[in-house]
Every structure is written in structure tokens, then in C-alpha cells.
Amino acid sequence: TMAEEAKKLAAYAAVDNHVQNNQAVGVGSGSTIVYAVDRLAARVRQEKLNIVCVPTSFQARQLILQHSLALSDLDRHPQLDVAIDGADEVDADLTLIKGGGGCLTHEKIVASCAKHFIVIADYSRKDSKVLGQQWKKGVPIEVIPMAYVPVCRTIVRRFGGEAHLRMAVSKAGPVVTDNSNFLLDWKFDGAQNWREVNAAIKMIPGVVDTGLFVDMAERAYFGMEDGSVQVRD
Ligand code: DER
């Protein structure tokens, strides 16, 4: 489909422009990153690249292993040369909403350890002027299970909107993250000061992390329907 083609364009551009020999690469989660891992594996084979990959989720780890890429971790490579990941939405300031796939906590850690954090997305659904324009599921927030109700109430009381526990589809009960935590999706009302809101939500006891990536992405690659790639710095 067009969207898949656009994801592939963005993914290939990011891998070709930002991955060199002898590097440690953070590998994101979701569906767009699959194309990036395909491209990474192809380049490793063709160019005999010596790279190691650090995953941002169980899914990313599976992708790395399935492509016979060298698996590593932040114990061995606490500083990464580059991290490549998708996003649920990107605004004009390169503020991201991430966590649609429930992996935001490791994604943010890995992104924070990389010299360059690069985002890949299909233009048609992810590129917005302001957050909330296209992504309607709200900001994902990882919470410690025993605290999800008070955290939910505090967020709505302080910041408005609605917040809901993310329920699983193929399993009874809530989604459980790779860290054995729960997820809230906060449907905010209108534009916010994302730097302030992110910091304030992070401080609520019981919150592990938020899907707001503020001042983290260095560049975003958007695959376009006409087959071109748009870059935002
Ligand atoms: O959940 C995540 O943070 C993913 O990276 C998500 O934001 C992008 O997923 P997609 O590439 O399947 O749209």
C-alpha cells in the first residue's frame, strides 16, 4: 500500500544516511522500523558492516535476532552512535508522541543514549503542525500497576482531558508492557506546553515515563506518497 511504501522510503533514507561501519545502533519498535532493520541487514551483508544493535523492546529484539544482526545492550554500549525509531505523531518542533506500540519507556532510554536520534514515519498520517491533529489516541503513559487509578485521576484533575487504562485486545485485562507495567492513554484537550506537561506528569508518583519526546529528535524522515522523502530538522 501507499503507507507501507512511504514507511519504507523513510526507513531506507534514515539507514542509508545515518548508519556507518563500526557503530552501535538503537533499534526502535513498531511497523516502520521493520523496513529499517531490513535495510540494515542488507547493508551489513553487502558492505560487511560491523555494527551492533540495541533493542527498544521485545519486538525490536526479535527483529534483530530474526535478521541475524549482532544483538547488544546498554551495559556494553551505554553510548550509541545513532538510534532510529518511529513515531505516532511529529509536530513542527519535532516534539513526538510515541508509545502507540507500548514500548515508550525503553524507546526513550535508548534515544537518550544516542548521539543522534532519528525518526522515520509515513508523511500522510504522522506529520502534524500540532500534536493531536492526526493522532487521536492520546499520550501513552507507562505506570506502575498499583498506582494507575490515582495517577489517572491526578492527570485529569491537573491537565484536563480524559485518561484511560489501555486494555488488551488478544488477552483479557489491560495491556502489560515489557517492564510488567500498565499504560494509560491521556486524551488531552488542545495545545499544551509539552516540555512543562511532560516534566509535570513524569513527577507524579507511579509514573514510569511518558510518550512525549521533547527536544530529543534530531531529524525526521517522512516518506511521501509521490515517492519522495521529506526531511525535518
Ligand atoms: O510505539 C511506538 O513508539 C512506535 O515507535 C510508534 O510510535 C510507531 O509505530 P509505527 O511505525 O508502527 O507507526
Side-chain angles (χ1 to χ4, degrees):
T1 68
M2 281 266 236
E4 292 309 308
E5 196 50 42
K7 291 178 181 180
K8 186 174 176 181
L9 283 166
Y12 280 39
V15 169
D16 291 352
N17 291 345
H18 294 275
V19 177
Q20 274 94 39
N21 198 15
N22 298 321
Q23 284 192 331
V25 180
V27 173
S29 305
S31 63
T32 308
I33 198 69
V34 174
Y35 297 104
V37 174
D38 286 345
R39 183 65 179 170
L40 210 45
R43 286 195 56 200
V44 165
R45 274 194 313 276
Q46 286 154 13
E47 303 167 40
K48 304 279 176 283
L49 289 183
N50 166 41
I51 60 160
V52 296
C53 296
V54 174
T56 55
S57 64
F58 185 85
Q59 179 228 353
R61 183 176 183 279
Q62 284 183 305
L63 280 177
I64 292 163
L65 293 174
Q66 283 159 3
H67 286 76
S68 307
L69 288 164
L71 179 69
S72 191
D73 51 38
L74 295 177
D75 305 55
R76 294 177 179 86
H77 295 275
Q79 187 178 48
L80 305 173
D81 297 286
V82 60
I84 300 175
D85 202 347
D88 297 308
E89 194 168 33
V90 184
D91 79 3
D93 304 322
L94 280 184
T95 299
L96 315 176
I97 289 178
K98 282 177 60 52
C103 309
L104 59 114
T105 296
H106 284 202
E107 289 174 334
K108 195 180 278 188
I109 294 166
V110 167
S112 74
C113 294
K115 293 173 195 160
H116 307 283
F117 175 43
I118 307 297
V119 172
I120 54 178
D122 65 286
Y123 172 81
S124 61
R125 301 180 302 123
K126 306 297 184 80
D127 176 27
S128 297
K129 284 277 165 292
V130 295
L131 297 181
Q133 228 170 316
Q134 297 182 84
W135 177 257
K136 301 299 181 187
K137 295 179 182 173
V139 175
I141 297 162
E142 182 158 340
V143 296
I144 301 294
M146 61 85 89
Y148 89 89
V149 173
V151 169
C152 212
R153 290 157 55 96
T154 301
I155 287 172
V156 171
R157 189 177 69 247
R158 284 207 212 147
F159 305 104
E162 296 177 21
H164 301 285
L165 179 64
R166 188 181 300 185
M167 301 310 284
V169 175
S170 317
K171 170 194 169 287
V175 169
V176 177
T177 70
D178 292 344
N179 313 308
S180 304
N181 292 320
F182 288 171
L183 292 162
L184 299 178
D185 289 302
W186 170 48
K187 296 186 181 170
F188 53 90
D189 284 332
Q192 317 271 334
N193 178 320
W194 294 117
R195 167 182 292 289
E196 286 176 8
V197 167
N198 177 51
I201 292 176
K202 189 92 192 255
M203 290 301 288
I204 300 169
V207 169
V208 177
D209 215 329
T210 82
L212 289 167
F213 286 46
V214 183
D215 289 339
M216 293 187 74
E218 174 181 304
R219 171 173 286 187
Y221 286 88
F222 296 105
M224 312 300 285
E225 290 180 354
D226 66 2
S228 67
V229 176
Q230 233 179 44
V231 173
R232 175 177 303 150
D233 289 321

